[in-house]
mmCIF file of all heavy atoms in Angstrom:
data_model
loop_
_atom_site.group_PDB
_atom_site.id
_atom_site.type_symbol
_atom_site.label_atom_id
_atom_site.label_comp_id
_atom_site.label_asym_id
_atom_site.label_seq_id
_atom_site.Cartn_x
_atom_site.Cartn_y
_atom_site.Cartn_z
ATOM 1 N N MET A 1 -138.914 -136.361 37.427
ATOM 2 C CA MET A 1 -138.791 -135.122 38.165
ATOM 3 C C MET A 1 -138.883 -133.962 37.173
ATOM 4 O O MET A 1 -138.263 -133.997 36.111
ATOM 5 C CB MET A 1 -137.446 -135.105 38.886
ATOM 6 C CG MET A 1 -137.132 -133.792 39.516
ATOM 7 S SD MET A 1 -135.668 -133.796 40.541
ATOM 8 C CE MET A 1 -134.385 -134.063 39.362
ATOM 9 N N TYR A 2 -139.687 -132.973 37.522
ATOM 10 C CA TYR A 2 -139.873 -131.800 36.674
ATOM 11 C C TYR A 2 -139.699 -130.539 37.509
ATOM 12 O O TYR A 2 -140.261 -130.450 38.608
ATOM 13 C CB TYR A 2 -141.279 -131.804 36.056
ATOM 14 C CG TYR A 2 -141.575 -133.058 35.263
ATOM 15 C CD1 TYR A 2 -142.307 -134.086 35.835
ATOM 16 C CD2 TYR A 2 -141.111 -133.209 33.972
ATOM 17 C CE1 TYR A 2 -142.586 -135.250 35.111
ATOM 18 C CE2 TYR A 2 -141.377 -134.358 33.246
ATOM 19 C CZ TYR A 2 -142.111 -135.372 33.823
ATOM 20 O OH TYR A 2 -142.364 -136.515 33.117
ATOM 21 N N VAL A 3 -138.940 -129.598 37.013
ATOM 22 C CA VAL A 3 -138.775 -128.295 37.654
ATOM 23 C C VAL A 3 -139.476 -127.288 36.754
ATOM 24 O O VAL A 3 -139.090 -127.117 35.598
ATOM 25 C CB VAL A 3 -137.286 -127.946 37.841
ATOM 26 C CG1 VAL A 3 -137.140 -126.592 38.495
ATOM 27 C CG2 VAL A 3 -136.592 -129.018 38.668
ATOM 28 N N VAL A 4 -140.528 -126.661 37.278
ATOM 29 C CA VAL A 4 -141.381 -125.822 36.435
ATOM 30 C C VAL A 4 -141.793 -124.528 37.128
ATOM 31 O O VAL A 4 -141.698 -124.395 38.342
ATOM 32 C CB VAL A 4 -142.647 -126.595 36.012
ATOM 33 C CG1 VAL A 4 -142.316 -127.754 35.099
ATOM 34 C CG2 VAL A 4 -143.434 -127.085 37.217
ATOM 35 N N CYS A 5 -142.295 -123.608 36.316
ATOM 36 C CA CYS A 5 -142.871 -122.365 36.832
ATOM 37 C C CYS A 5 -144.317 -122.631 37.253
ATOM 38 O O CYS A 5 -144.856 -123.712 37.003
ATOM 39 C CB CYS A 5 -142.807 -121.271 35.770
ATOM 40 S SG CYS A 5 -143.832 -121.594 34.311
ATOM 41 N N LYS A 6 -144.935 -121.627 37.854
ATOM 42 C CA LYS A 6 -146.313 -121.781 38.333
ATOM 43 C C LYS A 6 -147.266 -122.107 37.185
ATOM 44 O O LYS A 6 -148.196 -122.898 37.345
ATOM 45 C CB LYS A 6 -146.744 -120.498 39.040
ATOM 46 C CG LYS A 6 -148.067 -120.585 39.720
ATOM 47 C CD LYS A 6 -148.364 -119.324 40.511
ATOM 48 C CE LYS A 6 -149.654 -119.483 41.278
ATOM 49 N NZ LYS A 6 -149.914 -118.297 42.110
ATOM 50 N N GLU A 7 -147.029 -121.522 36.041
ATOM 51 C CA GLU A 7 -147.901 -121.723 34.877
ATOM 52 C C GLU A 7 -147.907 -123.172 34.396
ATOM 53 O O GLU A 7 -148.899 -123.658 33.866
ATOM 54 C CB GLU A 7 -147.442 -120.806 33.746
ATOM 55 C CG GLU A 7 -148.273 -120.903 32.501
ATOM 56 C CD GLU A 7 -147.775 -119.971 31.399
ATOM 57 O OE1 GLU A 7 -147.198 -118.919 31.724
ATOM 58 O OE2 GLU A 7 -147.981 -120.316 30.227
ATOM 59 N N HIS A 8 -146.801 -123.890 34.579
ATOM 60 C CA HIS A 8 -146.678 -125.249 34.043
ATOM 61 C C HIS A 8 -146.781 -126.364 35.094
ATOM 62 O O HIS A 8 -146.489 -127.516 34.794
ATOM 63 C CB HIS A 8 -145.353 -125.373 33.272
ATOM 64 C CG HIS A 8 -145.375 -124.597 31.992
ATOM 65 N ND1 HIS A 8 -144.642 -123.459 31.821
ATOM 66 C CD2 HIS A 8 -146.071 -124.805 30.853
ATOM 67 C CE1 HIS A 8 -144.872 -122.983 30.595
ATOM 68 N NE2 HIS A 8 -145.742 -123.784 30.001
ATOM 69 N N VAL A 9 -147.217 -126.036 36.304
ATOM 70 C CA VAL A 9 -147.349 -127.062 37.356
ATOM 71 C C VAL A 9 -148.350 -128.137 36.944
ATOM 72 O O VAL A 9 -148.062 -129.337 37.069
ATOM 73 C CB VAL A 9 -147.747 -126.431 38.709
ATOM 74 C CG1 VAL A 9 -148.137 -127.492 39.709
ATOM 75 C CG2 VAL A 9 -146.613 -125.605 39.264
ATOM 76 N N GLU A 10 -149.505 -127.744 36.455
ATOM 77 C CA GLU A 10 -150.518 -128.736 36.069
ATOM 78 C C GLU A 10 -150.011 -129.648 34.955
ATOM 79 O O GLU A 10 -150.248 -130.863 34.988
ATOM 80 C CB GLU A 10 -151.801 -128.048 35.640
ATOM 81 C CG GLU A 10 -152.564 -127.447 36.808
ATOM 82 C CD GLU A 10 -153.896 -126.858 36.391
ATOM 83 O OE1 GLU A 10 -154.570 -127.475 35.543
ATOM 84 O OE2 GLU A 10 -154.240 -125.796 36.915
ATOM 85 N N LEU A 11 -149.314 -129.096 33.994
ATOM 86 C CA LEU A 11 -148.741 -129.901 32.909
ATOM 87 C C LEU A 11 -147.734 -130.905 33.467
ATOM 88 O O LEU A 11 -147.747 -132.079 33.098
ATOM 89 C CB LEU A 11 -148.066 -128.997 31.872
ATOM 90 C CG LEU A 11 -147.331 -129.706 30.743
ATOM 91 C CD1 LEU A 11 -148.293 -130.533 29.887
ATOM 92 C CD2 LEU A 11 -146.589 -128.694 29.889
ATOM 93 N N ALA A 12 -146.874 -130.458 34.376
ATOM 94 C CA ALA A 12 -145.877 -131.346 34.974
ATOM 95 C C ALA A 12 -146.534 -132.461 35.773
ATOM 96 O O ALA A 12 -146.101 -133.612 35.725
ATOM 97 C CB ALA A 12 -144.915 -130.546 35.847
ATOM 98 N N ILE A 13 -147.600 -132.136 36.505
ATOM 99 C CA ILE A 13 -148.322 -133.159 37.263
ATOM 100 C C ILE A 13 -148.923 -134.188 36.311
ATOM 101 O O ILE A 13 -148.810 -135.399 36.538
ATOM 102 C CB ILE A 13 -149.402 -132.517 38.153
ATOM 103 C CG1 ILE A 13 -148.741 -131.719 39.282
ATOM 104 C CG2 ILE A 13 -150.352 -133.581 38.713
ATOM 105 C CD1 ILE A 13 -149.706 -130.849 40.075
ATOM 106 N N ASP A 14 -149.540 -133.713 35.237
ATOM 107 C CA ASP A 14 -150.116 -134.631 34.246
ATOM 108 C C ASP A 14 -149.059 -135.531 33.626
ATOM 109 O O ASP A 14 -149.264 -136.741 33.463
ATOM 110 C CB ASP A 14 -150.835 -133.849 33.140
ATOM 111 C CG ASP A 14 -152.121 -133.198 33.622
ATOM 112 O OD1 ASP A 14 -152.628 -133.591 34.693
ATOM 113 O OD2 ASP A 14 -152.609 -132.291 32.914
ATOM 114 N N MET A 15 -147.904 -134.971 33.280
ATOM 115 C CA MET A 15 -146.820 -135.768 32.682
ATOM 116 C C MET A 15 -146.301 -136.797 33.677
ATOM 117 O O MET A 15 -146.027 -137.942 33.311
ATOM 118 C CB MET A 15 -145.678 -134.857 32.200
ATOM 119 C CG MET A 15 -146.052 -134.017 31.013
ATOM 120 S SD MET A 15 -144.692 -133.082 30.236
ATOM 121 C CE MET A 15 -143.946 -132.230 31.592
ATOM 122 N N PHE A 16 -146.183 -136.412 34.953
ATOM 123 C CA PHE A 16 -145.718 -137.331 35.984
ATOM 124 C C PHE A 16 -146.689 -138.495 36.138
ATOM 125 O O PHE A 16 -146.281 -139.658 36.175
ATOM 126 C CB PHE A 16 -145.561 -136.590 37.319
ATOM 127 C CG PHE A 16 -144.932 -137.424 38.397
ATOM 128 C CD1 PHE A 16 -143.576 -137.355 38.641
ATOM 129 C CD2 PHE A 16 -145.697 -138.286 39.186
ATOM 130 C CE1 PHE A 16 -142.985 -138.130 39.638
ATOM 131 C CE2 PHE A 16 -145.133 -139.057 40.171
ATOM 132 C CZ PHE A 16 -143.765 -138.982 40.401
ATOM 133 N N VAL A 17 -147.977 -138.190 36.220
ATOM 134 C CA VAL A 17 -149.000 -139.237 36.376
ATOM 135 C C VAL A 17 -149.005 -140.162 35.168
ATOM 136 O O VAL A 17 -149.103 -141.387 35.308
ATOM 137 C CB VAL A 17 -150.391 -138.615 36.621
ATOM 138 C CG1 VAL A 17 -151.486 -139.659 36.537
ATOM 139 C CG2 VAL A 17 -150.429 -137.913 37.973
ATOM 140 N N ASP A 18 -148.883 -139.598 33.966
ATOM 141 C CA ASP A 18 -148.838 -140.423 32.754
ATOM 142 C C ASP A 18 -147.644 -141.371 32.769
ATOM 143 O O ASP A 18 -147.754 -142.532 32.365
ATOM 144 C CB ASP A 18 -148.764 -139.548 31.500
ATOM 145 C CG ASP A 18 -150.076 -138.855 31.193
ATOM 146 O OD1 ASP A 18 -151.118 -139.240 31.777
ATOM 147 O OD2 ASP A 18 -150.057 -137.918 30.367
ATOM 148 N N GLU A 19 -146.504 -140.873 33.243
ATOM 149 C CA GLU A 19 -145.284 -141.677 33.219
ATOM 150 C C GLU A 19 -145.226 -142.703 34.350
ATOM 151 O O GLU A 19 -144.849 -143.852 34.134
ATOM 152 C CB GLU A 19 -144.056 -140.761 33.295
ATOM 153 C CG GLU A 19 -142.743 -141.497 33.136
ATOM 154 C CD GLU A 19 -141.552 -140.569 33.030
ATOM 155 O OE1 GLU A 19 -141.730 -139.370 32.728
ATOM 156 O OE2 GLU A 19 -140.431 -141.059 33.243
ATOM 157 N N TYR A 20 -145.593 -142.296 35.577
ATOM 158 C CA TYR A 20 -145.411 -143.155 36.745
ATOM 159 C C TYR A 20 -146.706 -143.755 37.287
ATOM 160 O O TYR A 20 -146.656 -144.582 38.209
ATOM 161 C CB TYR A 20 -144.709 -142.372 37.859
ATOM 162 C CG TYR A 20 -143.330 -141.910 37.451
ATOM 163 C CD1 TYR A 20 -143.098 -140.585 37.119
ATOM 164 C CD2 TYR A 20 -142.263 -142.798 37.377
ATOM 165 C CE1 TYR A 20 -141.843 -140.143 36.747
ATOM 166 C CE2 TYR A 20 -141.003 -142.378 37.010
ATOM 167 C CZ TYR A 20 -140.800 -141.051 36.686
ATOM 168 O OH TYR A 20 -139.549 -140.634 36.312
ATOM 169 N N GLU A 21 -147.861 -143.316 36.784
ATOM 170 C CA GLU A 21 -149.160 -143.796 37.240
ATOM 171 C C GLU A 21 -149.318 -143.676 38.758
ATOM 172 O O GLU A 21 -149.864 -144.563 39.424
ATOM 173 C CB GLU A 21 -149.393 -145.235 36.775
ATOM 174 C CG GLU A 21 -149.414 -145.343 35.263
ATOM 175 C CD GLU A 21 -149.618 -146.758 34.767
ATOM 176 O OE1 GLU A 21 -149.708 -147.693 35.584
ATOM 177 O OE2 GLU A 21 -149.702 -146.913 33.542
ATOM 178 N N ASP A 22 -148.833 -142.564 39.292
ATOM 179 C CA ASP A 22 -148.915 -142.285 40.717
ATOM 180 C C ASP A 22 -148.953 -140.773 40.904
ATOM 181 O O ASP A 22 -148.499 -140.035 40.033
ATOM 182 C CB ASP A 22 -147.692 -142.871 41.438
ATOM 183 C CG ASP A 22 -147.895 -142.999 42.937
ATOM 184 O OD1 ASP A 22 -149.019 -142.779 43.417
ATOM 185 O OD2 ASP A 22 -146.906 -143.317 43.636
ATOM 186 N N ALA A 23 -149.492 -140.327 42.006
ATOM 187 C CA ALA A 23 -149.556 -138.893 42.281
ATOM 188 C C ALA A 23 -148.188 -138.387 42.733
ATOM 189 O O ALA A 23 -147.533 -139.025 43.563
ATOM 190 C CB ALA A 23 -150.589 -138.616 43.360
ATOM 191 N N PRO A 24 -147.756 -137.249 42.206
ATOM 192 C CA PRO A 24 -146.452 -136.715 42.596
ATOM 193 C C PRO A 24 -146.542 -135.860 43.860
ATOM 194 O O PRO A 24 -147.627 -135.481 44.303
ATOM 195 C CB PRO A 24 -146.089 -135.831 41.405
ATOM 196 C CG PRO A 24 -147.410 -135.308 40.948
ATOM 197 C CD PRO A 24 -148.368 -136.471 41.132
ATOM 198 N N ASP A 25 -145.382 -135.557 44.413
ATOM 199 C CA ASP A 25 -145.266 -134.532 45.443
ATOM 200 C C ASP A 25 -144.872 -133.253 44.735
ATOM 201 O O ASP A 25 -144.073 -133.274 43.795
ATOM 202 C CB ASP A 25 -144.185 -134.902 46.467
ATOM 203 C CG ASP A 25 -144.587 -136.093 47.325
ATOM 204 O OD1 ASP A 25 -145.771 -136.179 47.695
ATOM 205 O OD2 ASP A 25 -143.716 -136.931 47.606
ATOM 206 N N VAL A 26 -145.413 -132.136 45.169
ATOM 207 C CA VAL A 26 -145.070 -130.838 44.601
ATOM 208 C C VAL A 26 -144.369 -130.036 45.691
ATOM 209 O O VAL A 26 -144.934 -129.791 46.757
ATOM 210 C CB VAL A 26 -146.316 -130.093 44.095
ATOM 211 C CG1 VAL A 26 -145.934 -128.737 43.536
ATOM 212 C CG2 VAL A 26 -147.034 -130.930 43.035
ATOM 213 N N VAL A 27 -143.120 -129.646 45.419
ATOM 214 C CA VAL A 27 -142.298 -128.938 46.388
ATOM 215 C C VAL A 27 -142.116 -127.499 45.926
ATOM 216 O O VAL A 27 -141.719 -127.259 44.786
ATOM 217 C CB VAL A 27 -140.921 -129.631 46.535
ATOM 218 C CG1 VAL A 27 -140.033 -128.883 47.508
ATOM 219 C CG2 VAL A 27 -141.092 -131.075 46.947
ATOM 220 N N ASP A 28 -142.389 -126.553 46.815
ATOM 221 C CA ASP A 28 -142.180 -125.137 46.524
ATOM 222 C C ASP A 28 -140.692 -124.839 46.704
ATOM 223 O O ASP A 28 -140.155 -124.958 47.812
ATOM 224 C CB ASP A 28 -143.022 -124.284 47.472
ATOM 225 C CG ASP A 28 -142.990 -122.817 47.138
ATOM 226 O OD1 ASP A 28 -142.051 -122.354 46.464
ATOM 227 O OD2 ASP A 28 -143.924 -122.109 47.551
ATOM 228 N N LEU A 29 -140.018 -124.457 45.637
ATOM 229 C CA LEU A 29 -138.578 -124.227 45.694
ATOM 230 C C LEU A 29 -138.212 -122.989 46.507
ATOM 231 O O LEU A 29 -137.065 -122.849 46.924
ATOM 232 C CB LEU A 29 -138.006 -124.129 44.281
ATOM 233 C CG LEU A 29 -138.052 -125.426 43.474
ATOM 234 C CD1 LEU A 29 -137.580 -125.177 42.048
ATOM 235 C CD2 LEU A 29 -137.213 -126.512 44.136
ATOM 236 N N LYS A 30 -139.170 -122.094 46.736
ATOM 237 C CA LYS A 30 -138.892 -120.910 47.557
ATOM 238 C C LYS A 30 -138.768 -121.281 49.031
ATOM 239 O O LYS A 30 -138.103 -120.591 49.785
ATOM 240 C CB LYS A 30 -140.013 -119.878 47.403
ATOM 241 C CG LYS A 30 -140.050 -119.226 46.047
ATOM 242 C CD LYS A 30 -141.173 -118.213 46.005
ATOM 243 C CE LYS A 30 -142.097 -118.594 44.882
ATOM 244 N NZ LYS A 30 -143.332 -117.849 44.857
ATOM 245 N N GLU A 31 -139.418 -122.365 49.426
ATOM 246 C CA GLU A 31 -139.456 -122.751 50.835
ATOM 247 C C GLU A 31 -138.534 -123.915 51.176
ATOM 248 O O GLU A 31 -138.406 -124.272 52.340
ATOM 249 C CB GLU A 31 -140.888 -123.115 51.224
ATOM 250 C CG GLU A 31 -141.844 -121.965 51.090
ATOM 251 C CD GLU A 31 -143.270 -122.346 51.437
ATOM 252 O OE1 GLU A 31 -143.491 -123.484 51.874
ATOM 253 O OE2 GLU A 31 -144.156 -121.498 51.261
ATOM 254 N N THR A 32 -137.905 -124.515 50.171
ATOM 255 C CA THR A 32 -137.102 -125.706 50.398
ATOM 256 C C THR A 32 -135.683 -125.499 49.889
ATOM 257 O O THR A 32 -135.480 -125.004 48.797
ATOM 258 C CB THR A 32 -137.723 -126.921 49.666
ATOM 259 O OG1 THR A 32 -139.079 -127.040 50.068
ATOM 260 C CG2 THR A 32 -136.980 -128.188 49.995
ATOM 261 N N LYS A 33 -134.720 -125.893 50.702
ATOM 262 C CA LYS A 33 -133.306 -125.840 50.303
ATOM 263 C C LYS A 33 -132.760 -127.268 50.290
ATOM 264 O O LYS A 33 -133.120 -128.094 51.124
ATOM 265 C CB LYS A 33 -132.490 -124.997 51.288
ATOM 266 C CG LYS A 33 -132.963 -123.565 51.396
ATOM 267 C CD LYS A 33 -132.739 -122.816 50.118
ATOM 268 C CE LYS A 33 -133.216 -121.384 50.258
ATOM 269 N NZ LYS A 33 -133.663 -120.788 49.049
ATOM 270 N N PHE A 34 -131.893 -127.559 49.337
ATOM 271 C CA PHE A 34 -131.296 -128.879 49.213
ATOM 272 C C PHE A 34 -129.807 -128.779 49.504
ATOM 273 O O PHE A 34 -129.137 -127.876 48.997
ATOM 274 C CB PHE A 34 -131.512 -129.421 47.794
ATOM 275 C CG PHE A 34 -132.968 -129.512 47.415
ATOM 276 C CD1 PHE A 34 -133.587 -128.494 46.714
ATOM 277 C CD2 PHE A 34 -133.712 -130.620 47.778
ATOM 278 C CE1 PHE A 34 -134.922 -128.566 46.366
ATOM 279 C CE2 PHE A 34 -135.051 -130.707 47.441
ATOM 280 C CZ PHE A 34 -135.663 -129.680 46.734
ATOM 281 N N SER A 35 -129.284 -129.710 50.268
ATOM 282 C CA SER A 35 -127.869 -129.643 50.631
ATOM 283 C C SER A 35 -126.946 -130.132 49.518
ATOM 284 O O SER A 35 -125.833 -129.631 49.371
ATOM 285 C CB SER A 35 -127.610 -130.447 51.904
ATOM 286 O OG SER A 35 -127.980 -131.800 51.705
ATOM 287 N N ASP A 36 -127.397 -131.088 48.708
ATOM 288 C CA ASP A 36 -126.520 -131.680 47.696
ATOM 289 C C ASP A 36 -126.966 -131.423 46.262
ATOM 290 O O ASP A 36 -126.441 -132.033 45.341
ATOM 291 C CB ASP A 36 -126.436 -133.198 47.895
ATOM 292 C CG ASP A 36 -125.778 -133.585 49.197
ATOM 293 O OD1 ASP A 36 -125.041 -132.751 49.749
ATOM 294 O OD2 ASP A 36 -125.997 -134.705 49.669
ATOM 295 N N TRP A 37 -127.931 -130.537 46.052
ATOM 296 C CA TRP A 37 -128.470 -130.331 44.705
ATOM 297 C C TRP A 37 -128.966 -128.910 44.546
ATOM 298 O O TRP A 37 -129.680 -128.386 45.396
ATOM 299 C CB TRP A 37 -129.622 -131.311 44.475
ATOM 300 C CG TRP A 37 -130.260 -131.241 43.135
ATOM 301 C CD1 TRP A 37 -129.711 -131.604 41.945
ATOM 302 C CD2 TRP A 37 -131.581 -130.786 42.835
ATOM 303 N NE1 TRP A 37 -130.613 -131.409 40.923
ATOM 304 C CE2 TRP A 37 -131.769 -130.903 41.449
ATOM 305 C CE3 TRP A 37 -132.619 -130.289 43.601
ATOM 306 C CZ2 TRP A 37 -132.952 -130.553 40.817
ATOM 307 C CZ3 TRP A 37 -133.805 -129.942 42.975
ATOM 308 C CH2 TRP A 37 -133.956 -130.079 41.598
ATOM 309 N N ASP A 38 -128.577 -128.285 43.459
ATOM 310 C CA ASP A 38 -129.088 -126.967 43.115
ATOM 311 C C ASP A 38 -130.091 -127.136 41.987
ATOM 312 O O ASP A 38 -129.725 -127.598 40.902
ATOM 313 C CB ASP A 38 -127.950 -126.049 42.650
ATOM 314 C CG ASP A 38 -127.014 -125.682 43.781
ATOM 315 O OD1 ASP A 38 -127.478 -125.559 44.928
ATOM 316 O OD2 ASP A 38 -125.814 -125.522 43.521
ATOM 317 N N PRO A 39 -131.350 -126.781 42.224
ATOM 318 C CA PRO A 39 -132.358 -126.950 41.179
ATOM 319 C C PRO A 39 -132.087 -126.013 39.996
ATOM 320 O O PRO A 39 -131.470 -124.962 40.161
ATOM 321 C CB PRO A 39 -133.665 -126.596 41.868
ATOM 322 C CG PRO A 39 -133.290 -125.798 43.057
ATOM 323 C CD PRO A 39 -131.912 -126.223 43.452
ATOM 324 N N PRO A 40 -132.537 -126.394 38.813
ATOM 325 C CA PRO A 40 -132.395 -125.509 37.656
ATOM 326 C C PRO A 40 -133.070 -124.159 37.925
ATOM 327 O O PRO A 40 -134.043 -124.078 38.666
ATOM 328 C CB PRO A 40 -133.115 -126.255 36.537
ATOM 329 C CG PRO A 40 -133.110 -127.680 36.970
ATOM 330 C CD PRO A 40 -133.171 -127.654 38.467
ATOM 331 N N VAL A 41 -132.564 -123.131 37.301
ATOM 332 C CA VAL A 41 -133.082 -121.783 37.505
ATOM 333 C C VAL A 41 -134.330 -121.542 36.664
ATOM 334 O O VAL A 41 -135.228 -120.824 37.073
ATOM 335 C CB VAL A 41 -131.992 -120.749 37.160
ATOM 336 C CG1 VAL A 41 -132.515 -119.335 37.281
ATOM 337 C CG2 VAL A 41 -130.780 -120.953 38.049
ATOM 338 N N LYS A 42 -134.391 -122.177 35.492
ATOM 339 C CA LYS A 42 -135.498 -121.933 34.563
ATOM 340 C C LYS A 42 -136.426 -123.140 34.478
ATOM 341 O O LYS A 42 -136.019 -124.278 34.651
ATOM 342 C CB LYS A 42 -134.959 -121.609 33.183
ATOM 343 C CG LYS A 42 -134.206 -120.297 33.174
ATOM 344 C CD LYS A 42 -133.815 -119.900 31.796
ATOM 345 C CE LYS A 42 -133.094 -118.563 31.848
ATOM 346 N NZ LYS A 42 -132.694 -118.116 30.547
ATOM 347 N N CYS A 43 -137.659 -122.840 34.150
ATOM 348 C CA CYS A 43 -138.702 -123.848 33.948
ATOM 349 C C CYS A 43 -138.310 -124.801 32.826
ATOM 350 O O CYS A 43 -137.702 -124.396 31.834
ATOM 351 C CB CYS A 43 -140.007 -123.122 33.597
ATOM 352 S SG CYS A 43 -141.374 -124.201 33.137
ATOM 353 N N LYS A 44 -138.677 -126.068 32.976
ATOM 354 C CA LYS A 44 -138.424 -127.076 31.944
ATOM 355 C C LYS A 44 -139.160 -126.755 30.646
ATOM 356 O O LYS A 44 -138.703 -127.094 29.570
ATOM 357 C CB LYS A 44 -138.868 -128.437 32.474
ATOM 358 C CG LYS A 44 -138.772 -129.575 31.501
ATOM 359 C CD LYS A 44 -139.410 -130.813 32.096
ATOM 360 C CE LYS A 44 -139.318 -132.029 31.231
ATOM 361 N NZ LYS A 44 -139.823 -131.908 29.901
ATOM 362 N N GLU A 45 -140.300 -126.078 30.730
ATOM 363 C CA GLU A 45 -141.158 -125.838 29.576
ATOM 364 C C GLU A 45 -140.988 -124.461 28.937
ATOM 365 O O GLU A 45 -141.403 -124.261 27.801
ATOM 366 C CB GLU A 45 -142.621 -126.024 29.976
ATOM 367 C CG GLU A 45 -142.951 -127.413 30.480
ATOM 368 C CD GLU A 45 -142.760 -128.488 29.428
ATOM 369 O OE1 GLU A 45 -143.057 -128.240 28.255
ATOM 370 O OE2 GLU A 45 -142.305 -129.584 29.793
ATOM 371 N N CYS A 46 -140.445 -123.498 29.676
ATOM 372 C CA CYS A 46 -140.315 -122.138 29.140
ATOM 373 C C CYS A 46 -139.104 -121.454 29.780
ATOM 374 O O CYS A 46 -138.344 -122.077 30.503
ATOM 375 C CB CYS A 46 -141.597 -121.339 29.365
ATOM 376 S SG CYS A 46 -141.938 -120.947 31.101
ATOM 377 N N GLU A 47 -138.959 -120.186 29.557
ATOM 378 C CA GLU A 47 -137.819 -119.436 30.082
ATOM 379 C C GLU A 47 -138.121 -118.755 31.423
ATOM 380 O O GLU A 47 -137.284 -118.022 31.938
ATOM 381 C CB GLU A 47 -137.392 -118.380 29.055
ATOM 382 C CG GLU A 47 -136.837 -118.977 27.775
ATOM 383 C CD GLU A 47 -135.548 -119.760 28.002
ATOM 384 O OE1 GLU A 47 -134.627 -119.236 28.658
ATOM 385 O OE2 GLU A 47 -135.472 -120.909 27.532
ATOM 386 N N SER A 48 -139.286 -119.003 31.998
ATOM 387 C CA SER A 48 -139.649 -118.380 33.274
ATOM 388 C C SER A 48 -138.854 -118.992 34.419
ATOM 389 O O SER A 48 -138.296 -120.083 34.303
ATOM 390 C CB SER A 48 -141.145 -118.574 33.543
ATOM 391 O OG SER A 48 -141.915 -117.920 32.577
ATOM 392 N N LYS A 49 -138.873 -118.295 35.534
ATOM 393 C CA LYS A 49 -138.168 -118.763 36.734
ATOM 394 C C LYS A 49 -138.821 -120.039 37.263
ATOM 395 O O LYS A 49 -140.041 -120.121 37.398
ATOM 396 C CB LYS A 49 -138.218 -117.679 37.803
ATOM 397 C CG LYS A 49 -137.478 -118.066 39.054
ATOM 398 C CD LYS A 49 -137.549 -116.980 40.093
ATOM 399 C CE LYS A 49 -136.792 -117.455 41.317
ATOM 400 N NZ LYS A 49 -137.206 -116.773 42.522
ATOM 401 N N ALA A 50 -138.012 -121.028 37.573
ATOM 402 C CA ALA A 50 -138.518 -122.279 38.149
ATOM 403 C C ALA A 50 -138.984 -122.023 39.572
ATOM 404 O O ALA A 50 -138.254 -121.416 40.362
ATOM 405 C CB ALA A 50 -137.421 -123.337 38.121
ATOM 406 N N GLU A 51 -140.179 -122.485 39.900
ATOM 407 C CA GLU A 51 -140.742 -122.260 41.234
ATOM 408 C C GLU A 51 -141.123 -123.549 41.950
ATOM 409 O O GLU A 51 -141.210 -123.555 43.172
ATOM 410 C CB GLU A 51 -141.981 -121.373 41.133
ATOM 411 C CG GLU A 51 -141.697 -119.995 40.588
ATOM 412 C CD GLU A 51 -142.943 -119.145 40.521
ATOM 413 O OE1 GLU A 51 -143.671 -119.095 41.532
ATOM 414 O OE2 GLU A 51 -143.203 -118.570 39.457
ATOM 415 N N PHE A 52 -141.359 -124.637 41.190
ATOM 416 C CA PHE A 52 -141.843 -125.870 41.798
ATOM 417 C C PHE A 52 -141.082 -127.091 41.286
ATOM 418 O O PHE A 52 -140.687 -127.139 40.125
ATOM 419 C CB PHE A 52 -143.331 -126.065 41.519
ATOM 420 C CG PHE A 52 -144.180 -124.983 42.122
ATOM 421 C CD1 PHE A 52 -144.575 -123.901 41.360
ATOM 422 C CD2 PHE A 52 -144.575 -125.046 43.436
ATOM 423 C CE1 PHE A 52 -145.345 -122.884 41.903
ATOM 424 C CE2 PHE A 52 -145.354 -124.041 43.996
ATOM 425 C CZ PHE A 52 -145.729 -122.953 43.219
ATOM 426 N N LEU A 53 -140.929 -128.059 42.165
ATOM 427 C CA LEU A 53 -140.341 -129.349 41.841
ATOM 428 C C LEU A 53 -141.453 -130.379 41.940
ATOM 429 O O LEU A 53 -142.110 -130.486 42.988
ATOM 430 C CB LEU A 53 -139.205 -129.672 42.825
ATOM 431 C CG LEU A 53 -138.574 -131.036 42.734
ATOM 432 C CD1 LEU A 53 -137.847 -131.207 41.413
ATOM 433 C CD2 LEU A 53 -137.597 -131.227 43.896
ATOM 434 N N VAL A 54 -141.686 -131.111 40.863
ATOM 435 C CA VAL A 54 -142.724 -132.144 40.838
ATOM 436 C C VAL A 54 -142.003 -133.488 40.806
ATOM 437 O O VAL A 54 -141.327 -133.810 39.844
ATOM 438 C CB VAL A 54 -143.651 -131.975 39.615
ATOM 439 C CG1 VAL A 54 -144.694 -133.080 39.584
ATOM 440 C CG2 VAL A 54 -144.318 -130.607 39.637
ATOM 441 N N VAL A 55 -142.117 -134.245 41.929
ATOM 442 C CA VAL A 55 -141.426 -135.540 42.045
ATOM 443 C C VAL A 55 -142.354 -136.611 42.572
ATOM 444 O O VAL A 55 -143.253 -136.359 43.295
ATOM 445 C CB VAL A 55 -140.200 -135.463 42.978
ATOM 446 C CG1 VAL A 55 -139.101 -134.676 42.347
ATOM 447 C CG2 VAL A 55 -140.540 -134.917 44.323
#
């Protein structure tokens, strides 16, 4: 699972495919709320605001 900004979505997808050999789902964090989990505020790769969850 990767939480990333828009700039790093492609990198996260590539890392997911390399690790799991399957296509991930990409979730827009602006449109999705989780009842039991608060996503990180910052991108895994930089200090930008996290916008997408790649799972």
Side-chain angles (χ1 to χ4, degrees):
M1 172 173 67
Y2 303 99
V3 180
V4 294
C5 66
K6 187 174 185 177
E7 181 180 331
H8 290 109
V9 169
E10 287 185 40
L11 175 63
I13 291 170
D14 289 343
M15 291 188 309
F16 187 95
V17 170
D18 287 346
E19 186 172 341
Y20 298 104
E21 298 179 358
D22 197 8
D25 291 321
V26 179
V27 178
D28 187 338
L29 293 175
K30 290 181 238 170
E31 298 178 5
T32 306
K33 300 294 180 209
F34 302 95
S35 59
D36 295 339
W37 181 69
D38 291 327
V41 177
K42 294 187 179 180
C43 174
K44 176 187 183 305
E45 299 297 323
C46 68
E47 294 296 311
S48 296
K49 182 180 180 203
E51 298 181 49
F52 297 96
L53 174 66
V54 178
V55 289

